[in-house]
Amino acid sequence: MATDALGRRVDYLRISVTDRCNLRCVYCMPAEGVVWKPHAEILNPEEIAHFAALAAEQGIGRIRLTGGEPLVRASILDLIRRLRETRGIEAIALTTNGTLLPKFAPALREAGLQRVNISLDSLDAEEYARITRGGNLGHALAGIAAALDAGFDPVKVNVVVVRSLGQNLDGFARMTLDRPLHVRFIEFMPVGAVPEAAEHPSCSVTSWSRDDVVPADEILAAISAWGVKQGIGALLPAEADAPGGWGPARYHRFAGAPGTIGIISPLSEHFCAKCSRLRLTADGKLRPCLFSDLEFDAREALRAGDDERVRVLIAMALRHKPGSHGERIGTRRHMSQIGG
Ligand code: SAM
Ligand code: SF4
Protein backbone atom coordinates (compact mmCIF):
# COMPACT_ATOMS: atom_id res chain seq x y z
CA MET A 1 0.00 0.00 0.00
CA ALA A 2 1.42 3.42 -0.96
CA THR A 3 1.22 6.18 1.62
CA ASP A 4 2.67 9.66 1.49
CA ALA A 5 4.69 11.50 4.12
CA LEU A 6 1.49 12.59 5.87
CA GLY A 7 0.07 9.07 6.06
CA ARG A 8 -2.46 9.58 3.28
CA ARG A 9 -3.15 6.42 1.30
CA VAL A 10 -2.38 7.02 -2.38
CA ASP A 11 -4.00 4.52 -4.74
CA TYR A 12 -5.14 6.62 -7.68
CA LEU A 13 -3.15 7.66 -10.74
CA ARG A 14 -4.46 10.14 -13.29
CA ILE A 15 -2.68 9.72 -16.59
CA SER A 16 -2.81 12.37 -19.29
CA VAL A 17 -2.44 10.51 -22.57
CA THR A 18 -2.18 13.59 -24.76
CA ASP A 19 -1.94 17.37 -24.47
CA ARG A 20 -3.99 17.74 -27.70
CA CYS A 21 -7.69 18.40 -27.86
CA ASN A 22 -10.47 18.81 -30.42
CA LEU A 23 -12.03 21.63 -28.33
CA ARG A 24 -10.65 24.84 -26.78
CA CYS A 25 -12.68 25.42 -23.61
CA VAL A 26 -12.33 28.99 -22.42
CA TYR A 27 -11.45 28.03 -18.83
CA CYS A 28 -8.94 25.34 -19.81
CA MET A 29 -6.93 26.71 -22.71
CA PRO A 30 -5.93 30.23 -23.67
CA ALA A 31 -7.61 31.68 -26.77
CA GLU A 32 -4.43 31.38 -28.79
CA GLY A 33 -4.23 27.64 -27.91
CA VAL A 34 -1.12 25.95 -26.58
CA VAL A 35 1.90 24.66 -28.43
CA TRP A 36 1.54 20.86 -28.65
CA LYS A 37 4.47 18.82 -27.40
CA PRO A 38 6.33 17.04 -30.21
CA HIS A 39 5.30 13.37 -30.55
CA ALA A 40 8.75 12.20 -29.49
CA GLU A 41 8.22 13.81 -26.08
CA ILE A 42 4.90 12.08 -25.45
CA LEU A 43 4.89 8.66 -23.78
CA ASN A 44 3.76 5.80 -26.00
CA PRO A 45 1.20 3.18 -24.79
CA GLU A 46 3.93 0.73 -23.87
CA GLU A 47 5.71 3.32 -21.72
CA ILE A 48 2.49 4.45 -20.05
CA ALA A 49 1.45 0.87 -19.31
CA HIS A 50 4.92 0.08 -17.94
CA PHE A 51 4.78 3.08 -15.63
CA ALA A 52 1.28 2.06 -14.50
CA ALA A 53 2.53 -1.47 -13.79
CA LEU A 54 5.32 -0.12 -11.57
CA ALA A 55 2.85 2.15 -9.76
CA ALA A 56 0.40 -0.75 -9.36
CA GLU A 57 3.17 -2.79 -7.72
CA GLN A 58 3.05 -0.20 -4.95
CA GLY A 59 -0.72 -0.37 -4.58
CA ILE A 60 -1.60 2.50 -6.92
CA GLY A 61 -4.12 0.49 -8.90
CA ARG A 62 -6.93 2.84 -9.92
CA ILE A 63 -6.27 4.58 -13.21
CA ARG A 64 -8.04 7.49 -14.86
CA LEU A 65 -7.08 8.38 -18.43
CA THR A 66 -7.46 12.03 -19.31
CA GLY A 67 -5.79 14.76 -21.33
CA GLY A 68 -6.17 16.97 -23.43
CA GLU A 69 -8.83 14.86 -25.06
CA PRO A 70 -7.90 11.19 -24.57
CA LEU A 71 -10.08 10.04 -27.47
CA VAL A 72 -8.00 11.95 -30.02
CA ARG A 73 -5.09 9.65 -29.16
CA ALA A 74 -5.14 6.97 -31.84
CA SER A 75 -3.66 4.32 -29.54
CA ILE A 76 -6.21 4.75 -26.73
CA LEU A 77 -7.79 1.30 -27.20
CA ASP A 78 -4.39 -0.37 -27.31
CA LEU A 79 -3.46 1.42 -24.08
CA ILE A 80 -6.65 0.35 -22.29
CA ARG A 81 -6.10 -3.28 -23.34
CA ARG A 82 -2.55 -3.15 -21.99
CA LEU A 83 -3.71 -1.65 -18.71
CA ARG A 84 -6.48 -4.24 -18.38
CA GLU A 85 -3.88 -6.99 -18.60
CA THR A 86 -1.57 -5.38 -16.05
CA ARG A 87 -1.35 -7.05 -12.65
CA GLY A 88 -2.46 -4.85 -9.79
CA ILE A 89 -4.62 -2.49 -11.86
CA GLU A 90 -8.04 -2.67 -10.29
CA ALA A 91 -10.05 -0.26 -12.41
CA ILE A 92 -9.71 1.97 -15.47
CA ALA A 93 -11.72 5.15 -15.96
CA LEU A 94 -11.72 7.90 -18.59
CA THR A 95 -12.51 11.62 -18.57
CA THR A 96 -13.58 12.94 -21.97
CA ASN A 97 -15.48 15.79 -23.55
CA GLY A 98 -17.70 13.06 -25.00
CA THR A 99 -17.79 14.30 -28.58
CA LEU A 100 -16.03 11.18 -29.90
CA LEU A 101 -17.90 8.69 -27.72
CA PRO A 102 -20.56 7.96 -30.36
CA LYS A 103 -17.73 6.46 -32.40
CA PHE A 104 -15.72 4.84 -29.60
CA ALA A 105 -18.00 3.88 -26.68
CA PRO A 106 -18.61 0.19 -27.54
CA ALA A 107 -14.94 -0.41 -28.43
CA LEU A 108 -13.78 1.29 -25.22
CA ARG A 109 -16.06 -0.94 -23.19
CA GLU A 110 -14.83 -4.01 -24.98
CA ALA A 111 -11.22 -2.98 -24.43
CA GLY A 112 -11.82 -2.98 -20.66
CA LEU A 113 -12.74 0.57 -19.74
CA GLN A 114 -15.17 0.62 -16.82
CA ARG A 115 -16.12 4.17 -15.94
CA VAL A 116 -16.64 7.34 -17.95
CA ASN A 117 -16.82 10.99 -16.93
CA ILE A 118 -18.10 13.37 -19.60
CA SER A 119 -17.44 17.09 -19.41
CA LEU A 120 -20.33 19.30 -20.47
CA ASP A 121 -20.75 22.88 -19.34
CA SER A 122 -23.90 24.02 -21.09
CA LEU A 123 -27.11 22.54 -22.50
CA ASP A 124 -27.62 25.51 -24.80
CA ALA A 125 -26.09 24.88 -28.23
CA GLU A 126 -24.85 28.44 -28.74
CA GLU A 127 -23.46 28.75 -25.26
CA TYR A 128 -21.77 25.35 -25.57
CA ALA A 129 -20.13 26.45 -28.83
CA ARG A 130 -18.97 29.66 -27.16
CA ILE A 131 -17.53 27.92 -24.07
CA THR A 132 -15.78 25.21 -26.08
CA ARG A 133 -14.83 27.65 -28.86
CA GLY A 134 -16.54 25.74 -31.62
CA GLY A 135 -17.87 22.50 -30.10
CA ASN A 136 -21.15 20.88 -31.16
CA LEU A 137 -23.59 20.22 -28.29
CA GLY A 138 -25.34 17.46 -30.27
CA HIS A 139 -22.10 15.48 -30.46
CA ALA A 140 -21.55 15.73 -26.69
CA LEU A 141 -25.15 14.71 -25.90
CA ALA A 142 -24.88 11.80 -28.32
CA GLY A 143 -21.70 10.86 -26.45
CA ILE A 144 -23.59 10.68 -23.16
CA ALA A 145 -26.28 8.49 -24.75
CA ALA A 146 -23.60 6.26 -26.29
CA ALA A 147 -21.89 5.81 -22.91
CA LEU A 148 -25.16 4.71 -21.28
CA ASP A 149 -26.00 2.42 -24.22
CA ALA A 150 -22.56 0.80 -24.04
CA GLY A 151 -23.23 -0.12 -20.41
CA PHE A 152 -20.74 2.11 -18.60
CA ASP A 153 -21.59 2.42 -14.94
CA PRO A 154 -21.39 4.96 -13.51
CA VAL A 155 -21.64 7.65 -16.20
CA LYS A 156 -20.83 11.02 -14.68
CA VAL A 157 -21.27 14.44 -16.23
CA ASN A 158 -18.79 17.12 -15.08
CA VAL A 159 -19.92 20.73 -15.20
CA VAL A 160 -17.41 23.48 -14.42
CA VAL A 161 -19.39 26.44 -13.09
CA VAL A 162 -18.02 29.89 -13.95
CA ARG A 163 -20.03 32.87 -12.73
CA SER A 164 -19.36 35.18 -15.67
CA LEU A 165 -20.49 32.49 -18.12
CA GLY A 166 -23.95 32.70 -16.54
CA GLN A 167 -24.72 29.01 -17.20
CA ASN A 168 -28.27 27.84 -16.56
CA LEU A 169 -27.86 24.73 -14.40
CA ASP A 170 -31.53 23.65 -14.26
CA GLY A 171 -31.28 21.38 -17.29
CA PHE A 172 -28.43 19.49 -15.63
CA ALA A 173 -30.61 18.89 -12.57
CA ARG A 174 -33.39 17.63 -14.85
CA MET A 175 -30.95 15.17 -16.48
CA THR A 176 -30.75 13.18 -13.24
CA LEU A 177 -34.52 12.62 -13.03
CA ASP A 178 -34.99 9.96 -15.70
CA ARG A 179 -31.53 8.52 -16.42
CA PRO A 180 -28.81 7.13 -14.13
CA LEU A 181 -26.59 10.13 -14.79
CA HIS A 182 -24.44 11.56 -12.03
CA VAL A 183 -23.99 15.28 -12.61
CA ARG A 184 -21.12 16.90 -10.69
CA PHE A 185 -20.72 20.64 -10.45
CA ILE A 186 -17.08 21.66 -10.14
CA GLU A 187 -15.74 24.93 -8.81
CA PHE A 188 -13.62 26.82 -11.33
CA MET A 189 -9.97 26.25 -10.37
CA PRO A 190 -6.99 28.56 -10.84
CA VAL A 191 -4.96 26.18 -13.00
CA GLY A 192 -2.92 27.65 -15.83
CA ALA A 193 -1.20 31.00 -15.52
CA VAL A 194 -3.50 33.73 -14.24
CA PRO A 195 -2.80 37.46 -13.92
CA GLU A 196 -2.00 37.01 -10.22
CA ALA A 197 0.68 34.44 -11.05
CA ALA A 198 3.17 37.14 -11.89
CA GLU A 199 6.04 34.80 -11.15
CA HIS A 200 5.44 33.10 -14.51
CA PRO A 201 4.97 36.05 -16.88
CA SER A 202 6.03 33.94 -19.85
CA CYS A 203 2.91 31.80 -19.56
CA SER A 204 -0.13 32.66 -21.57
CA VAL A 205 -2.96 33.63 -19.29
CA THR A 206 -6.32 31.90 -18.75
CA SER A 207 -9.31 33.81 -17.57
CA TRP A 208 -9.56 32.67 -13.92
CA SER A 209 -10.61 35.23 -11.37
CA ARG A 210 -11.80 34.75 -7.81
CA ASP A 211 -15.09 36.47 -8.70
CA ASP A 212 -15.80 33.68 -11.17
CA VAL A 213 -15.78 30.94 -8.52
CA VAL A 214 -19.33 29.94 -7.56
CA PRO A 215 -19.08 28.27 -4.15
CA ALA A 216 -20.52 24.78 -3.69
CA ASP A 217 -23.21 25.88 -1.23
CA GLU A 218 -24.55 28.47 -3.66
CA ILE A 219 -24.79 25.87 -6.44
CA LEU A 220 -26.57 23.36 -4.20
CA ALA A 221 -29.01 25.98 -2.93
CA ALA A 222 -29.90 27.03 -6.50
CA ILE A 223 -30.46 23.43 -7.65
CA SER A 224 -32.48 22.63 -4.57
CA ALA A 225 -34.65 25.74 -5.09
CA TRP A 226 -35.26 24.60 -8.68
CA GLY A 227 -36.50 21.23 -7.37
CA VAL A 228 -38.89 22.92 -4.97
CA LYS A 229 -40.21 25.19 -7.72
CA GLN A 230 -40.81 22.16 -9.96
CA GLY A 231 -42.73 20.42 -7.18
CA ILE A 232 -40.10 17.65 -6.93
CA GLY A 233 -38.87 18.81 -3.53
CA ALA A 234 -35.48 19.87 -2.23
CA LEU A 235 -32.26 17.92 -2.78
CA LEU A 236 -31.64 15.10 -0.30
CA PRO A 237 -28.23 13.79 0.78
CA ALA A 238 -27.36 10.63 -1.19
CA GLU A 239 -24.19 9.58 0.54
CA ALA A 240 -25.18 5.97 1.24
CA ASP A 241 -26.15 5.06 -2.31
CA ALA A 242 -24.02 7.58 -4.20
CA PRO A 243 -22.10 6.26 -7.22
CA GLY A 244 -18.77 4.84 -6.08
CA GLY A 245 -16.23 7.61 -6.53
CA TRP A 246 -12.47 7.91 -6.30
CA GLY A 247 -12.54 11.59 -5.61
CA PRO A 248 -13.94 14.11 -3.22
CA ALA A 249 -17.47 14.64 -4.61
CA ARG A 250 -20.39 14.98 -2.17
CA TYR A 251 -23.64 13.59 -3.58
CA HIS A 252 -27.31 14.56 -3.36
CA ARG A 253 -30.42 13.50 -5.28
CA PHE A 254 -34.04 14.39 -5.83
CA ALA A 255 -36.46 11.88 -4.26
CA GLY A 256 -36.88 8.86 -6.54
CA ALA A 257 -34.38 10.08 -9.16
CA PRO A 258 -32.07 7.45 -10.72
CA GLY A 259 -29.26 10.00 -11.03
CA THR A 260 -27.49 12.15 -8.48
CA ILE A 261 -26.06 15.64 -8.13
CA GLY A 262 -22.49 15.88 -6.88
CA ILE A 263 -20.40 18.83 -5.84
CA ILE A 264 -16.62 19.10 -6.16
CA SER A 265 -15.34 22.09 -4.27
CA PRO A 266 -11.55 22.27 -4.17
CA LEU A 267 -11.61 25.95 -3.26
CA SER A 268 -14.49 26.51 -0.83
CA GLU A 269 -13.84 23.25 1.04
CA HIS A 270 -10.28 21.98 1.03
CA PHE A 271 -10.14 18.23 0.68
CA CYS A 272 -6.37 17.94 0.45
CA ALA A 273 -6.34 15.92 3.68
CA LYS A 274 -8.06 13.09 1.82
CA CYS A 275 -6.16 13.40 -1.47
CA SER A 276 -5.25 9.95 -2.79
CA ARG A 277 -3.78 10.72 -6.20
CA LEU A 278 -0.68 11.24 -8.28
CA ARG A 279 -0.66 12.54 -11.85
CA LEU A 280 1.41 11.54 -14.87
CA THR A 281 1.54 14.14 -17.66
CA ALA A 282 1.52 13.16 -21.32
CA ASP A 283 5.25 13.98 -21.51
CA GLY A 284 6.01 11.68 -18.62
CA LYS A 285 6.30 14.04 -15.66
CA LEU A 286 5.01 12.77 -12.35
CA ARG A 287 3.13 15.43 -10.35
CA PRO A 288 2.26 14.99 -6.69
CA CYS A 289 -0.36 17.78 -6.77
CA LEU A 290 -2.47 19.51 -9.43
CA PHE A 291 -1.77 22.93 -7.95
CA SER A 292 1.98 22.51 -7.46
CA ASP A 293 4.50 22.78 -10.30
CA LEU A 294 6.76 20.20 -8.71
CA GLU A 295 7.36 17.40 -11.25
CA PHE A 296 9.58 14.32 -11.43
CA ASP A 297 10.85 13.17 -14.81
CA ALA A 298 9.67 9.59 -15.18
CA ARG A 299 10.11 9.60 -18.97
CA GLU A 300 13.88 9.65 -18.82
CA ALA A 301 13.95 6.69 -16.43
CA LEU A 302 11.35 4.79 -18.46
CA ARG A 303 13.28 5.29 -21.69
CA ALA A 304 16.52 4.23 -20.00
CA GLY A 305 14.76 1.01 -18.93
CA ASP A 306 15.64 1.89 -15.33
CA ASP A 307 12.69 0.46 -13.33
CA GLU A 308 14.45 1.01 -10.04
CA ARG A 309 14.75 4.74 -10.83
CA VAL A 310 11.03 4.88 -11.70
CA ARG A 311 10.22 3.28 -8.33
CA VAL A 312 12.43 5.87 -6.61
CA LEU A 313 10.64 8.69 -8.45
CA ILE A 314 7.25 7.36 -7.36
CA ALA A 315 8.55 7.25 -3.77
CA MET A 316 9.85 10.83 -4.12
CA ALA A 317 6.53 12.05 -5.49
CA LEU A 318 4.77 10.43 -2.51
CA ARG A 319 7.23 12.02 -0.10
CA HIS A 320 6.78 15.46 -1.65
CA LYS A 321 3.01 15.45 -1.90
CA PRO A 322 2.04 18.78 -0.32
CA GLY A 323 -0.23 18.79 2.71
CA SER A 324 -2.45 21.40 1.07
CA HIS A 325 -2.58 23.60 -2.02
CA GLY A 326 -3.22 26.53 0.30
CA GLU A 327 -4.32 29.57 -1.64
CA ARG A 328 -2.01 28.95 -4.57
CA ILE A 329 -3.12 30.68 -7.73
CA GLY A 330 -1.85 29.68 -11.14
CA THR A 331 0.38 26.90 -12.44
CA ARG A 332 3.03 26.88 -15.13
CA ARG A 333 1.03 24.48 -17.27
CA HIS A 334 -2.57 24.66 -18.39
CA MET A 335 -5.12 22.06 -17.31
CA SER A 336 -5.07 20.43 -20.75
CA GLN A 337 -1.31 19.97 -20.39
CA ILE A 338 -1.38 18.58 -16.85
CA GLY A 339 -4.43 16.37 -17.26
CA GLY A 340 -7.55 17.53 -15.43
N1 SAM B 1 -10.82 16.76 -22.50
C1 SAM B 1 -11.34 15.98 -21.46
C2 SAM B 1 -12.54 16.64 -20.83
O1 SAM B 1 -12.82 17.80 -21.11
O2 SAM B 1 -13.19 15.97 -20.04
C3 SAM B 1 -10.33 15.62 -20.39
C4 SAM B 1 -9.38 16.67 -19.97
S1 SAM B 1 -10.10 18.07 -19.14
C5 SAM B 1 -8.69 19.00 -18.78
C6 SAM B 1 -10.53 17.32 -17.61
C7 SAM B 1 -11.51 18.10 -16.75
O3 SAM B 1 -10.88 19.27 -16.27
C8 SAM B 1 -12.77 18.53 -17.45
O4 SAM B 1 -13.88 18.08 -16.72
C9 SAM B 1 -12.68 20.03 -17.42
O5 SAM B 1 -13.95 20.61 -17.35
C10 SAM B 1 -11.86 20.26 -16.17
N2 SAM B 1 -11.20 21.57 -16.10
C11 SAM B 1 -10.38 22.14 -16.99
N3 SAM B 1 -9.95 23.35 -16.56
C12 SAM B 1 -10.54 23.54 -15.35
C13 SAM B 1 -10.51 24.59 -14.39
N4 SAM B 1 -9.76 25.67 -14.57
N5 SAM B 1 -11.24 24.45 -13.26
C14 SAM B 1 -11.99 23.34 -13.05
N6 SAM B 1 -12.04 22.31 -13.91
C15 SAM B 1 -11.34 22.41 -15.05
FE1 SF4 C 1 -10.17 20.12 -24.21
FE2 SF4 C 1 -11.13 19.05 -21.98
FE3 SF4 C 1 -9.69 21.30 -21.89
FE4 SF4 C 1 -12.09 21.41 -22.96
S1 SF4 C 1 -11.61 20.89 -20.82
S2 SF4 C 1 -10.21 22.29 -23.84
S3 SF4 C 1 -12.28 19.43 -23.88
S4 SF4 C 1 -8.96 19.32 -22.50
Side-chain angles (χ1 to χ4, degrees):
M1 180 173 98
T3 50
D4 71 2
L6 301 171
R8 289 173 295 192
R9 181 175 178 194
V10 176
D11 60 359
Y12 178 12
L13 177 65
R14 289 178 83 104
I15 302 175
S16 172
V17 300
T18 178
D19 59 344
R20 294 166 196 234
C21 189
N22 56 347
L23 300 179
R24 299 280 183 281
C25 301
V26 291
Y27 54 76
C28 178
M29 284 198 195
E32 69 276 18
V34 294
V35 180
W36 308 136
K37 293 264 173 199
H39 280 296
E41 292 184 21
I42 301 292
L43 297 184
N44 66 36
E46 199 179 341
E47 291 164 340
I48 296 174
H50 192 61
F51 180 90
L54 295 172
E57 262 181 12
Q58 302 194 30
I60 305 173
R62 296 191 288 178
I63 308 282
R64 176 169 299 281
L65 303 174
T66 178
E69 174 48 46
L71 298 185
V72 302
R73 181 96 199 240
S75 53
I76 189 75
L77 295 173
D78 173 34
L79 173 61
I80 292 168
R81 282 187 211 108
R82 285 172 189 267
L83 293 172
R84 186 187 56 188
E85 282 156 20
T86 300
R87 223 171 124 195
I89 292 185
E90 295 159 26
I92 312 166
L94 177 95
T95 298
T96 169
N97 61 39
T99 55
L100 296 172
L101 276 176
K103 181 171 167 201
F104 283 114
L108 287 164
R109 184 104 179 96
E110 214 174 293
L113 185 72
Q114 287 146 314
R115 309 162 70 102
V116 181
N117 289 6
I118 298 163
S119 307
L120 178 66
D121 303 312
S122 175
L123 292 169
D124 175 273
E126 273 177 33
E127 188 176 59
Y128 179 84
R130 212 167 40 245
I131 295 175
T132 55
R133 297 198 185 96
N136 180 312
L137 176 65
H139 294 169
L141 293 176
I144 292 175
L148 288 171
D149 286 351
F152 287 107
D153 182 25
V155 176
K156 297 180 181 173
V157 176
N158 289 350
V159 186
V160 178
V161 186
V162 181
R163 195 179 299 280
S164 61
L165 292 178
Q167 297 139 289
N168 183 340
L169 304 184
D170 300 348
F172 289 108
R174 190 173 285 113
M175 265 183 159
T176 67
L177 298 179
D178 55 5
R179 288 187 290 174
L181 284 172
H182 304 285
V183 173
R184 293 115 50 86
F185 295 108
I186 303 174
E187 286 177 351
F188 184 26
M189 294 187 269
V191 175
V194 291
E196 291 95 317
E199 75 260 39
H200 308 306
S202 60
C203 293
S204 48
V205 161
T206 51
S207 53
W208 188 87
S209 107
R210 206 170 284 282
D211 296 341
D212 262 339
V213 178
V214 184
D217 286 349
E218 187 180 326
I219 299 172
L220 273 182
I223 298 291
S224 210
W226 174 83
V228 171
K229 209 166 137 198
Q230 298 298 309
I232 306 164
L235 275 176
L236 307 167
E239 302 301 345
D241 57 349
W246 302 348
R250 283 188 291 122
Y251 287 95
H252 295 73
R253 68 153 39 98
F254 289 111
T260 60
I261 308 263
I263 293 280
I264 301 179
S265 47
L267 299 180
S268 66
E269 299 161 299
H270 280 220
F271 38 63
C272 303
K274 290 194 203 141
C275 184
S276 61
R277 59 186 68 172
L278 295 179
R279 292 183 140 80
L280 183 69
T281 64
D283 56 346
K285 306 291 188 286
L286 186 57
R287 283 177 80 105
C289 172
L290 172 63
F291 291 93
S292 162
D293 283 315
L294 181 66
E295 295 182 343
F296 298 91
D297 189 359
R299 186 183 68 205
E300 204 181 285
L302 282 167
R303 291 194 174 164
D306 189 347
D307 288 359
E308 207 34 54
R309 176 83 189 136
V310 177
R311 291 189 186 100
V312 167
L313 291 171
I314 294 172
M316 281 166 68
L318 290 170
R319 198 169 331 129
H320 288 91
K321 216 172 139 49
S324 153
H325 61 70
E327 295 301 311
R328 182 141 201 265
I329 291 176
T331 49
R332 269 181 218 155
R333 302 221 231 182
H334 291 287
M335 194 70 125
S336 61
Q337 297 169 313
I338 299 169

